[in-house]
Amino acid sequence: MTKQNLRIGMLGFGAMGKAHAYAVANLPYFYSELPFTAAIAGVATSSPERAAAKVAPYGLAPTTEAALLADPTIDIIDICTPNICHADAIKRALAAGKHVLCEKPLGISAAEGAELAALAEASGKVCRVVFNNRFIPAVMRAKQLIDEGRLGRILSFHAAYLHNSCCDHAKPAGWKQNADICGGGVLFDLGSHVIDMVRHLCGEFTAVTGMAQIGFADRTGMDGQPWQTNADEAFYLMAELACGARGTIVASKLSIGASDDLTFDIRGTLGALRFSLMEPSWLEFYDATAPGDPIGGVRGFTRIECVGRTPAPGGMFPSPKASVGWLRGHVGSMYAFLDAVACGGTASPTFADGAVINAIMEAAYASAQSGQRVVLEGGR
Ligand SMILES: NC(=O)c1ccc[n+]([C@@H]2O[C@H](COP(=O)([O-])OP(=O)(O)OC[C@H]3O[C@@H](n4cnc5c(N)ncnc54)[C@H](O)[C@@H]3O)[C@@H](O)[C@H]2O)c1
């Protein structure tokens, strides 16, 4: 059977454009026997003049949105532009008969979101929002455990997405701090992720009570001029769910010491779960049905090593036992070597480092065989 060759037209090539392009390019490494091939066929950005220079280092072709939509060989439009651009781009893509992948948040109002959802439904096309954190193995395992009833009835939750990016008053506002482009503030940017996480794991929301915070009312704007902050920099939410659970959600860029801290803590009648995106290899699970006697028995939080155990057909590479992030070390290693070849310098660890490791291992074997302490060269 010939594989379907999916051709993707991308809109926007900032942080997320690169993340999506990376994902498409590397799919064959992560999923064995893909039933399709996929490629980014062209990228349109806000500045056609600068697009070529932006995308060329990634082997991608600059183009325009109009060209992508008019091209019948383009199957999918992948929207990685600022939030206010999403709705119109989705409508144009659907009108052109394309499948659509759109970054979060889908729209910038409830009415817009509902309209887009209805259009997607009527189109019959595959339309998805990028709530990527659902696909972390530990989050997938959390969902399984909840669906299996291992938490019993969920009673409470605390979830947060914390960054420190608005703590510095001197830092100029970007578009995510400008409600005219972001559509909202941190509630849209980080809050959408954490609300999706709670809803994905615990179920539908029935009521919310919210409080917004702007840490610094005056900043330097995107044009370098003085500017009044118009978007929340932290948002605090109390939420009620249909299952009866009550909990809190915090989205904040005013959290000094936080890097990319998405966390959840979910408590039920039979068990509890804890997760932190900064330690994504692990899911903590408390099983209240485990024996608590004698002296605590075996009851307590267990760190489940979800690591890279992505369900099939993923999980063959990197090895399922590899921690989330292991592969990044290989990218760094390859970069250090190639940079040394191209630019000169020492590609540490050198062969001399390798030889020392060999000598240590040989001494270790010799010691194991003789039962004697073995002194290494230069040692005493
Ligand atoms: N899922 C995630 O983890 C995650 C993380 C960050 C951002 N996002 C979302 O991704 C989207 C993009 O965010 P980003 O951080 O990549 O932004 P960014 O500022 O880094 O990049 C935005 C890109 O869009 C381009 N652009 C702007 N207007 C355009 C238009 N009308 N047509 C074509 N291109 C246009 C810009 O030139 C730029 O290349 C946002 O919706 C944001 O909420 C998602």
Side-chain angles (χ1 to χ4, degrees), residues 10-20 43-47 50 54 65 79-86 89 92 102-105 130-133 161 175-176 182 188-190 192-193:
M10 179 173 278
L11 308 184
F13 200 69
M16 282 308 108
K18 292 186 188 82
H20 290 203
V43 182
T45 71
S46 52
S47 163
R50 291 199 301 270
K54 252 182 156 178
E65 181 185 337
I79 300 170
C80 299
T81 52
N83 305 345
I84 51 158
C85 306
H86 292 180
R92 289 190 293 267
C102 182
E103 265 299 345
K104 42 56 61 174
V130 180
F131 286 122
N132 46 300
N133 296 303
Y161 207 158
W175 68 258
K176 288 168 190 166
C182 187
F188 272 31
D189 195 35
L190 302 181
S192 55
H193 275 300

Side-chain angles (χ1 to χ4, degrees), residues 161-169 171-174 176-178 184-191 211-220 227-236 250-255:
Y161 207 158
L162 310 180
H163 282 190
N164 61 12
S165 49
C166 287
C167 291
D168 182 0
H169 191 187
K171 190 181 168 196
K176 288 168 190 166
Q177 284 78 55
N178 185 340
V186 70
L187 181 66
F188 272 31
D189 195 35
L190 302 181
M211 182 171 65
Q213 178 186 15
I214 289 176
F216 300 97
D218 58 320
R219 282 189 186 272
T220 306
W227 184 72
Q228 286 297 115
T229 306
N230 67 358
D232 43 281
E233 297 175 334
F235 205 99
Y236 309 87
V250 178
S252 172
K253 293 187 176 178
L254 295 173
S255 291

